[in-house]
């Protein structure tokens, strides 16, 4: 690392991140982003391949033959959010914004590659994964389908997090993100005159009862020691104040941290949906769309990540999340196949406490170099263990 000037690397990472920030692209549309990543990889002399028929890039820094690779993953997509920051490099793509910091993650992995190239020799090959469509929720599956995890022994990733000060690295054992499943419920009643309810089956009333009944799934059917959420986020019904609605449509999400709870809640949703309908003579359809599994860091992955984090920022700056995030993260798909760990990079700016996914989201760019140094360290440490013949369970 000595041969690299860290201050100028940090400047380059910030400049690269700002360029991505100014030109954000939605999931599956990251064409320019991929060109920019490819330019960087070419500048560094790293071989890469584009995902055929899609966006996303898989690159490899070679290491000793026969040793599995350490994978470093960055997500590269932006969100359909209209940016409202006062940044001089704010989005020029109207209605699209890097509101989750994926521009930063991409920059961190590029920086890690540059740092790793300055090493005399690597203990194991390093796979760089620039994953599309994390926000859409299935970009990781595309990477896996295209061999992104072939010959990978362990994988690491992380997320910029404004809850923590810059310089903090948050390494948490066990569950760090929830599973996410989406549901769609349609109540078909019988519309009619607002003054003659007895001639109708009021879909608003049946739908409202259903919303309340769904709240008892978590409160009465799930062990309180297992955090879970059922939210109806969309409720559409009716056309006028003097018309009883014949139809009501609801959409919502189920979040859990445990596969058993997840399966239970899906079954309950169908049971409660159809019984509330039956109770009031309405026809109810319930559709479920499977989303992400919970992201559960593997034990060995956590140990390696914690050690690398301590080496980069010192033990006093390595923390744990007090509770898991009930949001989803498609890194979970990788962890189903290979061991690994997903951490949080502190990147707080005082007085700018805007949450990720908000139009005012900003983060401290000093976190970029720290992220790159963490990724370098974990690639070296986990690589050395793989080189010694260590193999881990998921
Ligand atoms: Ni994100």
């Amino acid at each position: 690392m000595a041969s690299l000037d860290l201050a100028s690397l940090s400047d380059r990472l910030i400049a690269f991140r700002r360029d991505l920030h100014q030109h954000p692209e939605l999931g599956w549309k990251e064409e320019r982003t991929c060109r920019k990543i490819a330019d960087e990889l070419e500048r560094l002399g790293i071989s890469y391949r584009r995902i055929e028929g899609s966006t996303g890039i898989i690159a490899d820094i070679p290491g000793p033959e026969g040793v599995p690779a350490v994978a470093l993953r960055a997500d590269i997509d932006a969100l359909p959010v209209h940016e409202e920051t006062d940044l001089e490099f704010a989005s020029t793509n109207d209605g699209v914004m890097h509101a989750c910091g994926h521009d930063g993650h991409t920059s961190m992995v590029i920086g890690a590659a540059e740092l790793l190239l300055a090493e005399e020799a690597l203990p194991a090959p390093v796979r760089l994964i620039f994953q599309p469509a994390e926000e859409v929720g299935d970009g990781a599956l595309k990477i896996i389908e295209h061999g992104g995890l072939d010959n990978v022994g362990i994988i690491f990733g992380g997320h910029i997090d404004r809850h923590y000060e810059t310089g903090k690295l948050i390494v948490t054992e066990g569950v760090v993100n929830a599973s996410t499943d989406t549901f769609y419920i349609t109540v078909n009643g019988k519309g009619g005159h607002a003054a003659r309810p007895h001639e109708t089956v009021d879909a608003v009333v049946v739908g409202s009862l259903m919303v309340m009944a769904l709240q008892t799934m978590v409160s009465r059917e799930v062990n309180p020691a297992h955090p879970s959420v059922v939210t109806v986020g969309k409720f559409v019904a009716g056309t006028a104040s003097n018309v009883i609605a014949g139809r009501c449509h609801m959409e919502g999400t189920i979040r859990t941290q445990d596969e058993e709870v997840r399966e239970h809640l899906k079954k309950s949703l169908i049971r409660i949906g159809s019984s509330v309908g039956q109770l009031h003579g309405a026809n109810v359809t319930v559709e479920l769309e499977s989303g992400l599994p919970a992201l559960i860091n593997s034990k060995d992955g956590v140990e390696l990540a914690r050690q690398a984090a301590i080496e980069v920022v010192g033990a006093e700056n390595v923390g744990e999340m007090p509770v898991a995030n009930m949001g989803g993260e498609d890194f979970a798909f990788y962890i189903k196949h290979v061991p690994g760990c997903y951490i949080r990079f502190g990147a707080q700016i005082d007085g700018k406490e805007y949450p990720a996914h908000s139009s005012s989201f900003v983060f401290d760019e000093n976190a970029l170099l720290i992220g790159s140094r963490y990724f370098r360290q974990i690639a070296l440490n986990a690589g050395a263990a793989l080189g010694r013949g260590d193999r881990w369970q998921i």
Side-chain angles (χ1 to χ4, degrees):
M1 194 157 78
S3 59
L4 249 181
D5 173 4
L6 290 183
S8 70
L9 174 61
S10 180
D11 289 345
R12 281 202 295 287
L13 296 180
I14 290 171
F16 183 60
R17 178 260 161 166
R18 290 185 177 188
D19 178 70
L20 296 182
H21 192 88
Q22 205 160 11
H23 303 95
E25 294 170 303
L26 293 175
W28 304 125
K29 294 187 176 151
E30 307 96 329
E31 293 294 342
R32 180 188 184 278
T33 307
C34 283
R35 280 203 307 279
K36 288 288 165 182
I37 294 166
D39 286 351
E40 288 300 299
L41 294 170
E42 275 166 29
R43 178 177 68 81
L44 296 170
I46 297 172
S47 68
Y48 66 89
R49 62 188 170 94
R50 297 281 307 259
I51 304 293
E52 226 175 282
S54 170
T55 47
I57 289 181
I58 297 171
D60 284 295
I61 309 178
E65 205 126 317
V67 179
V70 179
L72 308 177
R73 176 273 209 167
D75 41 12
I76 64 173
D77 57 325
L79 282 159
V81 170
H82 177 74
E83 181 158 353
E84 292 177 309
T85 66
D86 48 10
L87 298 173
E88 63 199 32
F89 51 91
S91 170
T92 54
N93 186 1
D94 196 28
V96 182
M97 175 187 176
H98 268 295
C100 199
H102 298 187
D103 47 349
H105 306 161
T106 307
S107 189
M108 283 177 181
V109 170
I110 291 287
E114 195 159 336
L115 288 169
L116 286 165
L117 289 174
E119 296 292 319
E120 255 171 51
L122 295 181
V126 178
R127 165 88 33 92
L128 312 172
I129 295 174
F130 298 96
Q131 183 211 299
E134 191 282 324
E135 301 291 359
V136 184
D138 52 359
L141 291 176
K142 179 69 87 179
I143 292 284
I144 295 168
E145 191 187 310
H146 281 76
L149 291 183
D150 292 357
N151 305 316
V152 165
I154 193 161
I155 186 166
F156 296 93
H159 208 292
I160 280 167
D161 194 327
R162 47 108 215 169
H163 291 99
Y164 305 99
E165 286 165 32
T166 306
K168 302 273 184 208
L169 295 175
I170 307 301
V171 185
T172 310
E173 201 167 325
V175 180
V176 287
N177 283 87
S179 66
T180 69
D181 297 301
T182 307
F183 60 82
Y184 306 87
I185 300 177
T186 304
V187 177
N188 284 302
K190 189 179 167 204
H193 198 292
R196 290 195 289 278
H198 57 289
E199 293 172 359
T200 73
V201 175
D202 187 339
V204 167
V205 171
V206 180
S208 306
L209 287 169
M210 204 172 295
V211 171
M212 298 314 290
L214 295 179
Q215 300 314 306
T216 62
M217 286 164 45
V218 170
S219 69
R220 301 293 87 179
E221 294 186 23
V222 176
N223 182 335
H226 291 301
S228 36
V229 180
V230 173
T231 291
V232 175
K234 185 172 171 184
F235 187 108
V236 184
T239 52
S241 63
N242 58 354
V243 176
I244 285 177
R247 189 172 177 276
C248 157
H249 180 74
M250 283 174 261
E251 295 180 15
T253 183
I254 300 177
R255 308 288 169 111
T256 71
Q257 297 183 1
D258 179 276
E259 261 323 292
E260 239 175 79
V261 174
R262 183 184 185 193
E263 287 317 307
H264 176 88
L265 288 178
K266 286 198 221 171
K267 282 189 196 135
S268 292
L269 182 90
I270 294 168
R271 190 191 78 238
I272 290 176
S274 57
S275 5
V276 171
Q278 216 174 21
L279 191 64
H280 297 281
N283 195 323
V284 172
T285 57
V286 180
E287 268 175 75
L288 274 160
E289 193 178 272
S290 257
L292 308 172
L295 200 178
I296 305 170
N297 281 336
S298 75
K299 195 170 170 296
D300 302 299
V302 170
E303 264 168 42
L304 286 160
R306 186 174 290 134
Q307 184 54 36
I310 289 171
E311 285 171 49
V312 173
V313 294
E316 66 281 12
N317 290 312
V318 178
E320 277 197 38
M321 283 161 79
V323 288
N325 183 332
M326 293 307 285
E329 163 59 60
D330 81 352
F331 192 82
F333 285 123
Y334 299 116
I335 301 263
K336 290 258 171 203
H337 295 268
V338 292
C341 182
Y342 192 76
I343 72 160
R344 319 290 294 184
F345 304 102
Q348 203 167 68
I349 299 181
D350 272 350
K352 302 225 166 175
E353 297 304 300
Y354 303 109
H357 292 211
S358 95
S359 58
S360 306
F361 176 73
V362 288
F363 68 83
D364 182 2
E365 292 173 316
N366 290 313
L368 298 179
L369 181 65
I370 296 165
S372 295
R373 290 174 54 217
Y374 162 77
F375 276 130
R376 165 194 172 270
Q377 197 64 52
I378 194 70
L380 294 178
N381 294 8
L386 285 166
R388 284 195 302 269
D390 287 5
R391 302 291 182 266
W392 309 280
Q393 297 298 315
I394 295 169

